[in-house]
């Protein structure tokens, strides 16, 4: 997307406008992955139940999905529910699933309007049938879209994904000597997609939390103290501006950000 298009949707004189002007639109991250953290703390600070943090976090999801598509980001992955999150109270898990279903129902038109292709990555087969059905509708209705791919990581674990890829490889008939990094990647949930160039984590934690372990090998990591429900478009722009100032070397010598590799 051109800068003029972005400037049409941000208020004149705003922080967003100033950040949008600093971005080089020919060097956007090809894939942005986000660990949405801090919903519980956001609720606690307001003496609210934890689930209110998740509810408020939906607004951030809306803004970041639409904002990323408008910017022209090719792939966005949001970490919504990990394989470890089942350890949370049943009521919290069921509220998260309910919010996810509602998000999909209410936002389908926005996804279609913005030419966004919705996909789920993770062990979908373990999810309840009503949740799976909603996910399938979202995937099928947006399957023909050609713009941004929006992956939701649900019941997702990076190690579990790698183990699953090994299993698929072992049953694919490929000779072990023919397995290389490229072949291996073709058996991950993100097959065919570029690896994340930028990994964003909210709420100040310095962890990767079993997220896209294989794919983030060379990702630039940007952590903000902002809690996920407070994360807005200007934070996203700030992350991209910071990313474009990084010196990406891939173990070699200096290259500009997003150099072909
Ligand atoms: C982490 O905060 C957040 C989650 C485990 C869930 C994120 C889910 C949403 C924002 C809503 C559903 C998502 C979509 C894509 C519609 P936390 O509860 O671990 O916060 P804490 O570390 O402060 O306790």
């Amino acid at each position: 997307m051109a800068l003029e298009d972005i400037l049409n949707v941000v208020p004149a004189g705003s922080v967003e406008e100033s950040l949008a002007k600093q971005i080089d639109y020919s060097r956007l991250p090809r894939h942005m992955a986000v660990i949405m953290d801090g919903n519980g703390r956001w609720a606690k600070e307001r003496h609210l139940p934890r689930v209110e943090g998740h509810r408020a976090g939906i607004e951030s999801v809306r803004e970041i999905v639409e904002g990323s598509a408008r910017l022209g980001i090719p792939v966005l992955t949001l970490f919504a529910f990990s394989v470890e999150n089942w350890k949370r109270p049943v009521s919290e898990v069921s509220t998260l699933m309910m919010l996810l279903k509602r998000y999909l129902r209410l936002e389908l038109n926005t996804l279609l309007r913005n030419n966004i292709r919705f996909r789920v990555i993770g062990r979908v087969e373990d999810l309840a049938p009503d949740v799976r059905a909603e996910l399938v509708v979202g995937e099928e209705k947006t399957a023909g879209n050609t713009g941004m791919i929006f992956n939701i990581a649900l019941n997702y674990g990076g190690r579990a994904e790698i183990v699953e890829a090994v299993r698929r490889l072992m049953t694919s008939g490929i000779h072990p000597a023919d397995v290389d990094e490229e072949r291996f990647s073709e058996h991950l949930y993100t097959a065919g997609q570029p690896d994340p160039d930028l990994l964003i984590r909210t709420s100040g934690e310095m962890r990767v939390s079993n997220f896209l372990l294989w794919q983030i090998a060379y990702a630039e990591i940007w952590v903000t103290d902002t809690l996920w429900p407070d994360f807005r478009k200007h934070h996203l722009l700030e992350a991209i501006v910071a990313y474009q100032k990084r010196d990406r070397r891939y173990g070699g010598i200096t290259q500009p950000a997003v150099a072909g590799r």
Side-chain angles (χ1 to χ4, degrees):
M1 185 174 253
L3 173 62
E4 302 86 73
D5 300 319
I6 305 286
L7 295 182
N8 280 338
V9 293
V10 297
S14 62
V15 187
E16 280 101 327
E17 185 190 51
S18 146
L19 288 162
K21 284 180 174 166
Q22 292 174 50
I23 292 175
D24 175 350
Y25 293 87
S26 67
R27 294 193 300 117
L28 289 171
R30 289 160 297 183
H31 183 165
M32 247 169 21
V34 186
I35 302 178
M36 311 181 284
D37 197 12
N39 295 354
R41 275 162 285 170
W42 183 94
K44 196 170 172 208
E45 280 174 4
R46 289 159 180 77
H47 308 287
L48 294 168
R50 290 179 54 79
V51 291
E52 292 307 318
H54 299 317
R55 214 182 292 278
I58 295 287
E59 194 46 46
S60 312
V61 171
R62 270 200 206 107
E63 191 160 326
I64 295 327
V65 170
E66 204 171 357
S68 302
R70 286 207 168 135
L71 280 168
I73 301 291
V75 185
L76 172 73
T77 302
L78 300 184
F79 200 1
F81 193 86
S82 73
V83 287
E84 293 86 12
N85 285 155
W86 295 107
K87 292 182 212 146
R88 295 186 178 211
V90 177
S91 57
E92 183 174 341
V93 172
S94 56
T95 303
L96 272 169
M97 295 298 161
M98 181 275 288
L99 287 171
L100 175 75
K101 283 196 297 178
R102 205 164 62 185
Y103 166 83
L104 280 174
R105 229 171 292 142
L106 296 177
E107 289 299 297
L108 190 58
N109 280 336
T110 311
L111 300 182
L112 292 169
R113 200 174 52 245
N114 288 283
N115 195 21
I116 297 169
R117 181 165 175 200
F118 171 73
R119 295 211 40 223
V120 189
I121 61 170
R123 292 184 58 84
V124 193
E125 56 276 24
D126 297 343
L127 300 172
D130 59 325
V131 178
R132 280 197 334 245
E134 206 72 58
L135 296 169
V136 169
V137 171
E139 287 190 320
E140 285 180 349
K141 293 231 160 111
T142 62
N145 289 349
T146 54
M148 184 179 84
I149 296 176
F150 166 31
N151 298 311
I152 281 196
L154 256 187
N155 194 24
Y156 175 88
R159 287 185 173 183
E161 179 184 26
I162 291 170
V163 169
E164 211 173 294
V166 171
R167 287 203 188 115
R168 288 200 213 130
L169 263 170
M170 287 168 88
T171 53
S172 69
I174 298 173
H175 191 277
D178 293 328
V179 178
D180 57 14
E181 293 182 10
E182 203 177 320
R183 270 269 163 86
F184 188 80
S185 300
E186 286 164 11
H187 291 81
L188 295 169
Y189 298 131
T190 51
Q193 301 178 11
D195 287 338
D197 288 311
L198 174 60
L199 172 67
I200 296 175
R201 180 164 192 148
T202 58
S203 89
E205 307 286 356
M206 301 286 180
R207 286 190 288 273
V208 294
S209 297
N210 200 14
F211 188 39
L212 301 174
L213 292 182
W214 173 277
Q215 297 90 330
I216 61 167
Y218 289 101
E220 294 296 327
I221 303 180
W222 188 81
V223 177
T224 174
D225 284 338
T226 303
L227 305 176
W228 178 252
D230 292 326
F231 195 86
R232 287 292 171 270
K233 210 174 326 167
H234 66 91
H235 296 107
L236 179 73
L237 297 171
E238 207 184 305
I240 297 172
V241 168
Y243 159 78
Q244 291 188 332
K245 289 185 181 149
R246 299 275 177 96
D247 174 20
R248 305 190 80 191
R249 291 192 296 276
Y250 304 103
I253 54 168
T254 304
Q255 294 179 43
V258 205
R261 51 177 212 257

